[in-house]
């Protein structure tokens, strides 16, 4: 069964005709890696309201990379506190307008390069609690964004995230 899987790299990668995910789809409780899960699913518009990432997942890099049609995530969507690698999770999600309040960059995260890069319609507040970011893996967090973004949280790197975010017009502020 799915409870024995540890990694599900690129499961739906490049499924360009995928528009939605069935509500019966779940990520097994022992999965640690969901990298590239929906990479290049250009037409993915929605995830089921019950879609979750289980506690214990450690890597979700490029999970929604270039999901151009994805405008929102389910209101209960959260990032587990166990996640370490989160590079380019939403990079290139042209339609993404915001994230649910449960999307918090956890204290465990050490790599968040390009997390929301090239998301021109994204605006809102993002909580960043990352405590130990690897050298260089904090830059371009908001590369290519133009709308107002507020960051807050317990991370000692908030000023770096703001100043080296790659944003186009100083649209990132610390609150």
């Amino acid at each position: 069964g799915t409870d024995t899987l540890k990694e599900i790299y690129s499961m739906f990668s490049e499924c360009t005709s995928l528009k939605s995910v069935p509500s019966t789809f779940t990520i097994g409780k022992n999965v640690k890696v969901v990298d590239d899960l929906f990479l290049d699913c250009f037409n993915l518009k929605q995830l089921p309201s019950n879609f979750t990432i289980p506690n214990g997942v450690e890597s979700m890099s490029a999970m929604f990379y270039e999901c151009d049609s994805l405008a929102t995530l389910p209101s209960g969507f959260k990032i587990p506190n166990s996640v370490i690698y989160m590079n380019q999770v939403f990079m290139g999600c042209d339609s993404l307008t915001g994230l649910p309040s449960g999307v918090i960059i956890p204290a465990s995260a050490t790599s968040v390069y390009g997390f929301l890069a090239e998301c021109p319609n994204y605006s809102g507040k993002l909580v960043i609690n990352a405590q130990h970011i690897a050298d260089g893996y904090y830059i371009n967090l908001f590369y290519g964004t133009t709308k107002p973004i507020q960051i807050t949280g317990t991370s000692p790197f908030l000023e770096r995230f703001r100043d080296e975010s790659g944003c186009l017009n100083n649209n990132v502020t610390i609150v």
Side-chain angles (χ1 to χ4, degrees), residues 10 15 19 37 43-44 62 83 89 92-94 99 107 117 120 142-143 162:
S10 305
C15 289
K19 292 182 180 177
L37 188 65
N43 293 305
L44 179 63
V83 176
V89 174
C93 291
D94 293 345
L99 295 171
F142 304 109
Y143 176 81
R162 179 197 61 208

Side-chain angles (χ1 to χ4, degrees), residues 43-122:
N43 293 305
L44 179 63
K45 290 184 182 200
Q46 66 181 33
L47 296 169
S49 60
N50 64 340
F51 182 81
T52 60
I53 301 172
N55 290 326
V57 166
E58 296 174 354
S59 185
M60 58 185 291
S61 291
M63 185 173 183
F64 298 102
Y65 187 97
E66 295 285 341
C67 287
D68 295 340
S69 300
L70 189 64
T72 60
L73 295 170
S75 60
F77 182 84
K78 294 180 181 176
I79 294 177
N81 287 330
S82 54
V83 176
I84 299 168
Y85 307 104
M86 327 179 52
N87 292 322
Q88 303 171 331
V89 174
F90 298 103
M91 185 170 183
C93 291
D94 293 345
S95 299
L96 189 66
T97 57
L99 295 171
S101 60
V103 176
I104 295 170
I105 296 179
S108 57
T110 62
S111 186
V112 295
Y113 177 85
F115 181 74
L116 280 162
E118 297 177 21
C119 294
N121 291 302
Y122 176 83

Side-chain angles (χ1 to χ4, degrees), residues 6 12 14 36 62 76 85 113 119 137 140:
K6 301 274 188 227
F12 297 102
E14 297 181 9
D36 307 331
Y85 307 104
Y113 177 85
C119 294
Y137 285 95
N140 293 332

